[in-house]
Amino acid sequence: MPSMHPNRAKWEAIVWLLAFALIYGTAFFFDGHEAIDALFVSQETYNLDEIFTALTIAGGLGLIYSVLRIKDMHREIQLRVTAEKHVDWIACHDPLTELPNRRLLEVALLKLLTLSHTQRSAIFSLDLDGFKKVNDLLGHEHGDQVLKVVAKRLCSMFPEDNVYRLGGDEFVVVVERKGNQDLSALGKRMVVAISKPIAINGATVEIGASIGFARIPEDSAFPAEAIQYSDCAMYAAKKIGRNIVKAFVPEMQEELIKKIQMEADL
């Protein structure tokens, strides 16, 4: 969808005013009104004065119409620009939680790639425990409310970092590491925050979270690869039980590959 400049209507008005000023100045310099009156008198048989009066009235009405049309064009352009921004926002965000989606995560990973030599980061992959039971027993509306609450809790923990929803009950948090940060302890704090009871329409819901994380650049200097590793760690945590936090180790990837091969053979 092509974009239109929002100030186009203003520029058209300015051009019109400049043209009017130029015509007025020319008429004033050459005594235009007196010359026109003399012409009307000399050509009275052609009713030029009546024709000129009609043209003047039509011109005035045309001016009023032009001003109204310029205002309408300005309003239409503003609405179009707002709609284009809204479409762009929808393409890059999850409409339910209003978190950035996978598309913006890919952009963030490319940015991390350029900073991986100077900035240490960590990627947390998070999957909710017990969320399917909420959907099955209470319905998807309650499940949606749970996702919104989880999103708010994660954003309150990481106001300066990036929290993403990839779909379903899967979230990703990209954290800039400062000093000798204990990532396992940070993951456990995430579990504690998410596991607090959630009250929805008179019902109390309790969920948990399985979390895996990978470090940049220690586990991988490539963010796209690091997020695969954090996913491996998350699957390993989920296999152990509820509310588990696991750091990535290479054996996890090897085990996951073996499992995929076994399932493919079946």
Side-chain angles (χ1 to χ4, degrees), residues 75-228:
R75 190 180 302 110
E76 290 170 5
I77 291 170
Q78 292 292 345
L79 291 173
R80 184 168 183 173
V81 170
T82 302
E84 289 177 352
K85 289 181 179 179
H86 186 60
V87 169
D88 291 340
W89 187 90
I90 290 176
C92 298
H93 291 79
D94 168 43
L96 177 64
T97 62
E98 299 185 356
L99 292 177
N101 61 14
R102 188 182 297 273
R103 185 174 179 180
L104 275 188
L105 176 60
E106 292 173 355
V107 174
L109 294 181
L110 289 175
K111 183 179 179 181
L112 276 179
L113 182 60
T114 63
L115 300 173
S116 60
H117 298 293
T118 58
Q119 176 179 304
R120 298 189 309 155
S121 305
I123 297 180
F124 289 82
S125 293
L126 184 155
D127 188 86
L128 299 182
D129 297 327
F131 179 73
K132 185 178 183 301
K133 186 181 294 184
V134 173
N135 273 338
D136 292 343
L137 296 180
L138 300 177
H140 290 282
E141 290 185 1
H142 283 74
D144 290 346
Q145 293 300 317
V146 168
L147 292 174
K148 290 181 180 180
V149 172
V150 171
K152 289 180 180 178
R153 290 178 178 179
L154 289 174
C155 288
S156 66
M157 285 189 65
F158 304 99
E160 297 181 359
D161 294 284
N162 296 314
V163 181
Y164 304 85
R165 183 190 175 206
L166 302 189
D169 58 349
E170 295 184 17
F171 296 81
V172 166
V173 180
V174 180
V175 179
E176 180 181 350
R177 293 158 58 194
K178 300 175 182 178
N180 190 21
Q181 193 172 16
D182 188 340
L183 298 177
S184 293
L186 179 59
K188 291 176 182 177
R189 290 202 299 272
M190 293 168 61
V191 169
V192 171
I194 293 170
S195 300
K196 293 178 181 178
I198 302 173
I200 301 175
N201 297 331
T204 300
V205 176
E206 293 186 1
I207 59 172
S210 297
I211 299 177
F213 66 87
R215 302 164 300 168
I216 301 174
E218 291 88 344
D219 294 319
S220 176
F222 301 99
E225 189 175 55
I227 197 170
Q228 293 178 359

Side-chain angles (χ1 to χ4, degrees), residues 233-252:
M234 183 265 291
Y235 293 136
K238 204 166 187 68
K239 184 178 179 181
I240 295 173
R242 185 185 176 106
N243 294 337
I244 302 296
V245 178
K246 297 290 289 184
F248 171 78
V249 293
E251 291 78 8
M252 292 177 178

